PDB file of all heavy atoms in Angstrom:
ATOM      1  N   PRO A   1       5.018  -7.673   2.712  1.00 97.00           N
ATOM      2  CA  PRO A   1       5.876  -8.756   3.105  1.00 97.00           C
ATOM      3  C   PRO A   1       7.217  -8.305   3.483  1.00 97.00           C
ATOM      4  O   PRO A   1       7.946  -7.341   2.936  1.00 97.00           O
ATOM      5  CB  PRO A   1       5.946  -9.598   1.845  1.00 97.00           C
ATOM      6  CG  PRO A   1       4.625  -9.312   1.170  1.00 97.00           C
ATOM      7  CD  PRO A   1       4.371  -7.844   1.418  1.00 97.00           C
ATOM      8  N   LYS A   2       7.806  -8.862   4.631  1.00 95.00           N
ATOM      9  CA  LYS A   2       8.982  -8.312   5.195  1.00 95.00           C
ATOM     10  C   LYS A   2      10.239  -8.474   4.278  1.00 95.00           C
ATOM     11  O   LYS A   2      11.192  -7.753   4.534  1.00 95.00           O
ATOM     12  CB  LYS A   2       9.214  -8.892   6.589  1.00 95.00           C
ATOM     13  CG  LYS A   2       9.551 -10.371   6.626  1.00 95.00           C
ATOM     14  CD  LYS A   2       9.739 -10.805   8.048  1.00 95.00           C
ATOM     15  CE  LYS A   2      10.181 -12.299   8.166  1.00 95.00           C
ATOM     16  NZ  LYS A   2      10.314 -12.715   9.640  1.00 95.00           N
ATOM     17  N   GLU A   3      10.228  -9.460   3.370  1.00 95.00           N
ATOM     18  CA  GLU A   3      11.305  -9.707   2.565  1.00 95.00           C
ATOM     19  C   GLU A   3      11.488  -8.711   1.435  1.00 95.00           C
ATOM     20  O   GLU A   3      12.540  -8.597   0.712  1.00 95.00           O
ATOM     21  CB  GLU A   3      11.345 -11.140   2.034  1.00 95.00           C
ATOM     22  CG  GLU A   3      10.243 -11.425   1.053  1.00 95.00           C
ATOM     23  CD  GLU A   3       9.004 -11.863   1.576  1.00 95.00           C
ATOM     24  OE1 GLU A   3       8.904 -11.748   2.876  1.00 95.00           O
ATOM     25  OE2 GLU A   3       7.990 -12.236   0.877  1.00 95.00           O
ATOM     26  N   ILE A   4      10.475  -7.901   1.176  1.00 96.00           N
ATOM     27  CA  ILE A   4      10.400  -6.952   0.097  1.00 96.00           C
ATOM     28  C   ILE A   4      11.085  -5.676   0.507  1.00 96.00           C
ATOM     29  O   ILE A   4      10.769  -5.114   1.585  1.00 96.00           O
ATOM     30  CB  ILE A   4       8.983  -6.639  -0.440  1.00 96.00           C
ATOM     31  CG1 ILE A   4       8.431  -7.941  -1.063  1.00 96.00           C
ATOM     32  CG2 ILE A   4       8.997  -5.519  -1.433  1.00 96.00           C
ATOM     33  CD1 ILE A   4       7.008  -7.839  -1.460  1.00 96.00           C
ATOM     34  N   GLU A   5      11.937  -5.061  -0.320  1.00 95.00           N
ATOM     35  CA  GLU A   5      12.585  -3.819  -0.045  1.00 95.00           C
ATOM     36  C   GLU A   5      11.626  -2.681  -0.319  1.00 95.00           C
ATOM     37  O   GLU A   5      10.903  -2.654  -1.329  1.00 95.00           O
ATOM     38  CB  GLU A   5      13.793  -3.670  -0.933  1.00 95.00           C
ATOM     39  CG  GLU A   5      14.518  -2.336  -0.714  1.00 95.00           C
ATOM     40  CD  GLU A   5      15.805  -2.181  -1.604  1.00 95.00           C
ATOM     41  OE1 GLU A   5      16.164  -3.084  -2.320  1.00 95.00           O
ATOM     42  OE2 GLU A   5      16.406  -1.043  -1.568  1.00 95.00           O
ATOM     43  N   TYR A   6      11.487  -1.828   0.680  1.00 96.00           N
ATOM     44  CA  TYR A   6      10.567  -0.726   0.610  1.00 96.00           C
ATOM     45  C   TYR A   6      11.309   0.664   0.509  1.00 96.00           C
ATOM     46  O   TYR A   6      12.194   0.968   1.369  1.00 96.00           O
ATOM     47  CB  TYR A   6       9.598  -0.631   1.793  1.00 96.00           C
ATOM     48  CG  TYR A   6       8.532   0.411   1.717  1.00 96.00           C
ATOM     49  CD1 TYR A   6       7.488   0.356   0.949  1.00 96.00           C
ATOM     50  CD2 TYR A   6       8.717   1.542   2.616  1.00 96.00           C
ATOM     51  CE1 TYR A   6       6.547   1.397   0.904  1.00 96.00           C
ATOM     52  CE2 TYR A   6       7.703   2.496   2.598  1.00 96.00           C
ATOM     53  CZ  TYR A   6       6.659   2.440   1.769  1.00 96.00           C
ATOM     54  OH  TYR A   6       5.729   3.468   1.708  1.00 96.00           O
ATOM     55  N   ASN A   7      11.023   1.377  -0.524  1.00 93.00           N
ATOM     56  CA  ASN A   7      11.803   2.682  -0.717  1.00 93.00           C
ATOM     57  C   ASN A   7      10.854   3.916  -0.741  1.00 93.00           C
ATOM     58  O   ASN A   7      11.199   4.899  -1.294  1.00 93.00           O
ATOM     59  CB  ASN A   7      12.631   2.595  -2.020  1.00 93.00           C
ATOM     60  CG  ASN A   7      11.690   2.207  -3.175  1.00 93.00           C
ATOM     61  OD1 ASN A   7      10.491   2.183  -3.191  1.00 93.00           O
ATOM     62  ND2 ASN A   7      12.399   1.804  -4.395  1.00 93.00           N
ATOM     63  N   GLY A   8       9.730   3.779  -0.198  1.00 95.00           N
ATOM     64  CA  GLY A   8       8.836   4.895  -0.098  1.00 95.00           C
ATOM     65  C   GLY A   8       7.435   4.628  -0.551  1.00 95.00           C
ATOM     66  O   GLY A   8       7.169   3.565  -1.119  1.00 95.00           O
ATOM     67  N   LEU A   9       6.572   5.573  -0.427  1.00 96.00           N
ATOM     68  CA  LEU A   9       5.068   5.392  -0.741  1.00 96.00           C
ATOM     69  C   LEU A   9       4.887   5.023  -2.129  1.00 96.00           C
ATOM     70  O   LEU A   9       3.869   4.429  -2.527  1.00 96.00           O
ATOM     71  CB  LEU A   9       4.356   6.663  -0.327  1.00 96.00           C
ATOM     72  CG  LEU A   9       2.772   6.573  -0.201  1.00 96.00           C
ATOM     73  CD1 LEU A   9       2.431   5.472   0.713  1.00 96.00           C
ATOM     74  CD2 LEU A   9       2.172   7.922   0.184  1.00 96.00           C
ATOM     75  N   GLN A  10       5.779   5.498  -3.056  1.00 96.00           N
ATOM     76  CA  GLN A  10       5.621   5.255  -4.499  1.00 96.00           C
ATOM     77  C   GLN A  10       5.632   3.719  -4.777  1.00 96.00           C
ATOM     78  O   GLN A  10       5.162   3.317  -5.812  1.00 96.00           O
ATOM     79  CB  GLN A  10       6.823   5.896  -5.200  1.00 96.00           C
ATOM     80  CG  GLN A  10       6.569   5.965  -6.775  1.00 96.00           C
ATOM     81  CD  GLN A  10       5.415   6.923  -7.093  1.00 96.00           C
ATOM     82  OE1 GLN A  10       5.061   7.957  -6.446  1.00 96.00           O
ATOM     83  NE2 GLN A  10       4.684   6.484  -8.132  1.00 96.00           N
ATOM     84  N   TRP A  11       6.110   2.980  -3.829  1.00 97.00           N
ATOM     85  CA  TRP A  11       6.042   1.502  -3.969  1.00 97.00           C
ATOM     86  C   TRP A  11       4.714   0.940  -4.345  1.00 97.00           C
ATOM     87  O   TRP A  11       4.469   0.007  -4.977  1.00 97.00           O
ATOM     88  CB  TRP A  11       6.612   0.773  -2.807  1.00 97.00           C
ATOM     89  CG  TRP A  11       6.835  -0.716  -2.850  1.00 97.00           C
ATOM     90  CD1 TRP A  11       7.862  -1.428  -3.293  1.00 97.00           C
ATOM     91  CD2 TRP A  11       5.722  -1.644  -2.520  1.00 97.00           C
ATOM     92  NE1 TRP A  11       7.570  -2.771  -3.290  1.00 97.00           N
ATOM     93  CE2 TRP A  11       6.323  -2.978  -2.824  1.00 97.00           C
ATOM     94  CE3 TRP A  11       4.509  -1.625  -1.999  1.00 97.00           C
ATOM     95  CZ2 TRP A  11       5.618  -4.116  -2.589  1.00 97.00           C
ATOM     96  CZ3 TRP A  11       3.698  -2.696  -1.778  1.00 97.00           C
ATOM     97  CH2 TRP A  11       4.242  -3.996  -2.089  1.00 97.00           C
ATOM     98  N   PHE A  12       3.697   1.635  -3.735  1.00 97.00           N
ATOM     99  CA  PHE A  12       2.298   1.182  -3.779  1.00 97.00           C
ATOM    100  C   PHE A  12       1.621   1.584  -5.122  1.00 97.00           C
ATOM    101  O   PHE A  12       0.525   1.201  -5.415  1.00 97.00           O
ATOM    102  CB  PHE A  12       1.506   1.753  -2.668  1.00 97.00           C
ATOM    103  CG  PHE A  12       1.783   1.082  -1.294  1.00 97.00           C
ATOM    104  CD1 PHE A  12       2.581   1.619  -0.463  1.00 97.00           C
ATOM    105  CD2 PHE A  12       1.161  -0.174  -0.970  1.00 97.00           C
ATOM    106  CE1 PHE A  12       2.951   1.049   0.795  1.00 97.00           C
ATOM    107  CE2 PHE A  12       1.489  -0.779   0.202  1.00 97.00           C
ATOM    108  CZ  PHE A  12       2.375  -0.087   1.110  1.00 97.00           C
ATOM    109  N   GLU A  13       2.322   2.331  -5.983  1.00 97.00           N
ATOM    110  CA  GLU A  13       1.775   2.638  -7.282  1.00 97.00           C
ATOM    111  C   GLU A  13       1.471   1.350  -8.117  1.00 97.00           C
ATOM    112  O   GLU A  13       2.334   0.517  -8.379  1.00 97.00           O
ATOM    113  CB  GLU A  13       2.750   3.540  -8.132  1.00 97.00           C
ATOM    114  CG  GLU A  13       2.290   3.909  -9.476  1.00 97.00           C
ATOM    115  CD  GLU A  13       1.089   4.904  -9.457  1.00 97.00           C
ATOM    116  OE1 GLU A  13       1.053   5.731  -8.501  1.00 97.00           O
ATOM    117  OE2 GLU A  13       0.302   4.824 -10.370  1.00 97.00           O
ATOM    118  N   GLY A  14       0.103   1.323  -8.439  1.00 96.00           N
ATOM    119  CA  GLY A  14      -0.316   0.114  -9.244  1.00 96.00           C
ATOM    120  C   GLY A  14      -0.456  -1.194  -8.539  1.00 96.00           C
ATOM    121  O   GLY A  14      -0.812  -2.204  -9.081  1.00 96.00           O
ATOM    122  N   LYS A  15      -0.141  -1.182  -7.157  1.00 97.00           N
ATOM    123  CA  LYS A  15      -0.211  -2.365  -6.379  1.00 97.00           C
ATOM    124  C   LYS A  15      -1.568  -2.625  -5.841  1.00 97.00           C
ATOM    125  O   LYS A  15      -2.414  -1.676  -5.687  1.00 97.00           O
ATOM    126  CB  LYS A  15       0.772  -2.321  -5.131  1.00 97.00           C
ATOM    127  CG  LYS A  15       2.241  -2.227  -5.545  1.00 97.00           C
ATOM    128  CD  LYS A  15       2.782  -3.508  -6.202  1.00 97.00           C
ATOM    129  CE  LYS A  15       4.299  -3.530  -6.162  1.00 97.00           C
ATOM    130  NZ  LYS A  15       4.977  -2.427  -6.905  1.00 97.00           N
ATOM    131  N   LYS A  16      -1.903  -3.885  -5.503  1.00 97.00           N
ATOM    132  CA  LYS A  16      -3.193  -4.190  -4.948  1.00 97.00           C
ATOM    133  C   LYS A  16      -2.997  -4.293  -3.441  1.00 97.00           C
ATOM    134  O   LYS A  16      -2.121  -4.963  -2.844  1.00 97.00           O
ATOM    135  CB  LYS A  16      -3.697  -5.584  -5.489  1.00 97.00           C
ATOM    136  CG  LYS A  16      -4.981  -6.027  -4.860  1.00 97.00           C
ATOM    137  CD  LYS A  16      -5.487  -7.360  -5.421  1.00 97.00           C
ATOM    138  CE  LYS A  16      -5.864  -7.269  -6.835  1.00 97.00           C
ATOM    139  NZ  LYS A  16      -6.502  -8.564  -7.337  1.00 97.00           N
ATOM    140  N   VAL A  17      -3.905  -3.537  -2.667  1.00 98.00           N
ATOM    141  CA  VAL A  17      -3.862  -3.444  -1.281  1.00 98.00           C
ATOM    142  C   VAL A  17      -5.191  -3.918  -0.688  1.00 98.00           C
ATOM    143  O   VAL A  17      -6.195  -3.404  -1.049  1.00 98.00           O
ATOM    144  CB  VAL A  17      -3.536  -2.009  -0.856  1.00 98.00           C
ATOM    145  CG1 VAL A  17      -3.470  -1.963   0.717  1.00 98.00           C
ATOM    146  CG2 VAL A  17      -2.191  -1.458  -1.379  1.00 98.00           C
ATOM    147  N   ALA A  18      -5.147  -4.863   0.242  1.00 97.00           N
ATOM    148  CA  ALA A  18      -6.351  -5.410   0.911  1.00 97.00           C
ATOM    149  C   ALA A  18      -6.592  -4.612   2.209  1.00 97.00           C
ATOM    150  O   ALA A  18      -5.631  -4.304   2.928  1.00 97.00           O
ATOM    151  CB  ALA A  18      -6.128  -6.973   1.243  1.00 97.00           C
ATOM    152  N   THR A  19      -7.833  -4.268   2.369  1.00 97.00           N
ATOM    153  CA  THR A  19      -8.221  -3.527   3.661  1.00 97.00           C
ATOM    154  C   THR A  19      -9.670  -3.541   3.976  1.00 97.00           C
ATOM    155  O   THR A  19     -10.495  -3.879   3.097  1.00 97.00           O
ATOM    156  CB  THR A  19      -7.786  -2.011   3.350  1.00 97.00           C
ATOM    157  OG1 THR A  19      -8.051  -1.323   4.599  1.00 97.00           O
ATOM    158  CG2 THR A  19      -8.645  -1.429   2.289  1.00 97.00           C
ATOM    159  N   SER A  20     -10.008  -3.251   5.219  1.00 96.00           N
ATOM    160  CA  SER A  20     -11.308  -3.112   5.617  1.00 96.00           C
ATOM    161  C   SER A  20     -11.699  -1.612   5.783  1.00 96.00           C
ATOM    162  O   SER A  20     -12.793  -1.254   6.184  1.00 96.00           O
ATOM    163  CB  SER A  20     -11.601  -3.855   6.998  1.00 96.00           C
ATOM    164  OG  SER A  20     -11.268  -5.171   6.951  1.00 96.00           O
ATOM    165  N   TYR A  21     -10.704  -0.774   5.318  1.00 97.00           N
ATOM    166  CA  TYR A  21     -10.849   0.653   5.528  1.00 97.00           C
ATOM    167  C   TYR A  21     -10.626   1.334   4.090  1.00 97.00           C
ATOM    168  O   TYR A  21      -9.713   2.131   4.045  1.00 97.00           O
ATOM    169  CB  TYR A  21     -10.022   1.276   6.578  1.00 97.00           C
ATOM    170  CG  TYR A  21     -10.276   0.591   7.978  1.00 97.00           C
ATOM    171  CD1 TYR A  21      -9.453  -0.481   8.322  1.00 97.00           C
ATOM    172  CD2 TYR A  21     -11.228   1.199   8.815  1.00 97.00           C
ATOM    173  CE1 TYR A  21      -9.789  -1.093   9.599  1.00 97.00           C
ATOM    174  CE2 TYR A  21     -11.476   0.614  10.010  1.00 97.00           C
ATOM    175  CZ  TYR A  21     -10.805  -0.547  10.537  1.00 97.00           C
ATOM    176  OH  TYR A  21     -11.061  -1.061  11.694  1.00 97.00           O
ATOM    177  N   PRO A  22     -11.480   1.084   3.153  1.00 97.00           N
ATOM    178  CA  PRO A  22     -11.171   1.600   1.759  1.00 97.00           C
ATOM    179  C   PRO A  22     -11.380   3.105   1.702  1.00 97.00           C
ATOM    180  O   PRO A  22     -10.620   3.757   0.987  1.00 97.00           O
ATOM    181  CB  PRO A  22     -12.291   0.913   0.926  1.00 97.00           C
ATOM    182  CG  PRO A  22     -13.369   0.497   1.936  1.00 97.00           C
ATOM    183  CD  PRO A  22     -12.695   0.157   3.174  1.00 97.00           C
ATOM    184  N   TYR A  23     -12.212   3.691   2.470  1.00 97.00           N
ATOM    185  CA  TYR A  23     -12.537   5.210   2.460  1.00 97.00           C
ATOM    186  C   TYR A  23     -11.186   5.932   2.895  1.00 97.00           C
ATOM    187  O   TYR A  23     -10.691   6.868   2.150  1.00 97.00           O
ATOM    188  CB  TYR A  23     -13.748   5.555   3.263  1.00 97.00           C
ATOM    189  CG  TYR A  23     -13.916   7.057   3.340  1.00 97.00           C
ATOM    190  CD1 TYR A  23     -14.537   7.684   2.254  1.00 97.00           C
ATOM    191  CD2 TYR A  23     -13.544   7.791   4.440  1.00 97.00           C
ATOM    192  CE1 TYR A  23     -14.780   9.042   2.346  1.00 97.00           C
ATOM    193  CE2 TYR A  23     -13.786   9.142   4.485  1.00 97.00           C
ATOM    194  CZ  TYR A  23     -14.413   9.774   3.453  1.00 97.00           C
ATOM    195  OH  TYR A  23     -14.675  11.148   3.517  1.00 97.00           O
ATOM    196  N   ILE A  24     -10.662   5.547   4.037  1.00 98.00           N
ATOM    197  CA  ILE A  24      -9.487   6.180   4.542  1.00 98.00           C
ATOM    198  C   ILE A  24      -8.259   5.946   3.651  1.00 98.00           C
ATOM    199  O   ILE A  24      -7.529   6.914   3.353  1.00 98.00           O
ATOM    200  CB  ILE A  24      -9.153   5.659   5.950  1.00 98.00           C
ATOM    201  CG1 ILE A  24     -10.290   5.977   6.959  1.00 98.00           C
ATOM    202  CG2 ILE A  24      -7.834   6.241   6.510  1.00 98.00           C
ATOM    203  CD1 ILE A  24     -10.126   5.492   8.357  1.00 98.00           C
ATOM    204  N   LEU A  25      -8.056   4.751   3.228  1.00 98.00           N
ATOM    205  CA  LEU A  25      -7.043   4.465   2.291  1.00 98.00           C
ATOM    206  C   LEU A  25      -7.110   5.116   1.028  1.00 98.00           C
ATOM    207  O   LEU A  25      -6.130   5.684   0.546  1.00 98.00           O
ATOM    208  CB  LEU A  25      -6.962   2.932   2.057  1.00 98.00           C
ATOM    209  CG  LEU A  25      -5.782   2.437   1.097  1.00 98.00           C
ATOM    210  CD1 LEU A  25      -4.450   2.820   1.704  1.00 98.00           C
ATOM    211  CD2 LEU A  25      -5.937   0.935   0.919  1.00 98.00           C
ATOM    212  N   ASP A  26      -8.285   5.198   0.291  1.00 97.00           N
ATOM    213  CA  ASP A  26      -8.419   5.857  -0.849  1.00 97.00           C
ATOM    214  C   ASP A  26      -8.104   7.412  -0.742  1.00 97.00           C
ATOM    215  O   ASP A  26      -7.418   8.000  -1.639  1.00 97.00           O
ATOM    216  CB  ASP A  26      -9.872   5.717  -1.272  1.00 97.00           C
ATOM    217  CG  ASP A  26     -10.080   6.276  -2.836  1.00 97.00           C
ATOM    218  OD1 ASP A  26      -9.364   5.879  -3.749  1.00 97.00           O
ATOM    219  OD2 ASP A  26     -11.078   7.088  -2.927  1.00 97.00           O
ATOM    220  N   ASN A  27      -8.639   8.072   0.328  1.00 97.00           N
ATOM    221  CA  ASN A  27      -8.291   9.415   0.547  1.00 97.00           C
ATOM    222  C   ASN A  27      -6.833   9.665   0.684  1.00 97.00           C
ATOM    223  O   ASN A  27      -6.231  10.620   0.193  1.00 97.00           O
ATOM    224  CB  ASN A  27      -9.035   9.958   1.766  1.00 97.00           C
ATOM    225  CG  ASN A  27     -10.472  10.239   1.433  1.00 97.00           C
ATOM    226  OD1 ASN A  27     -10.958  10.257   0.366  1.00 97.00           O
ATOM    227  ND2 ASN A  27     -11.274  10.433   2.518  1.00 97.00           N
TER     228      ASN A  27
END
């Protein structure tokens, strides 16, 4: 969401991410 401050890939630690490409994302 554009209102959220993003400070790097570590932001995704423990977050839920929706995708149709789970293999690429998991790797």
Side-chain angles (χ1 to χ4, degrees):
K2 67 178 184 180
E3 68 273 7
I4 294 178
E5 182 180 352
Y6 182 74
N7 52 14
L9 195 58
Q10 195 63 36
W11 184 90
F12 287 96
E13 178 69 32
K15 297 292 197 302
K16 182 179 287 187
V17 180
T19 185
S20 300
Y21 300 92
Y23 177 79
I24 297 174
L25 179 59
D26 186 53
N27 283 346

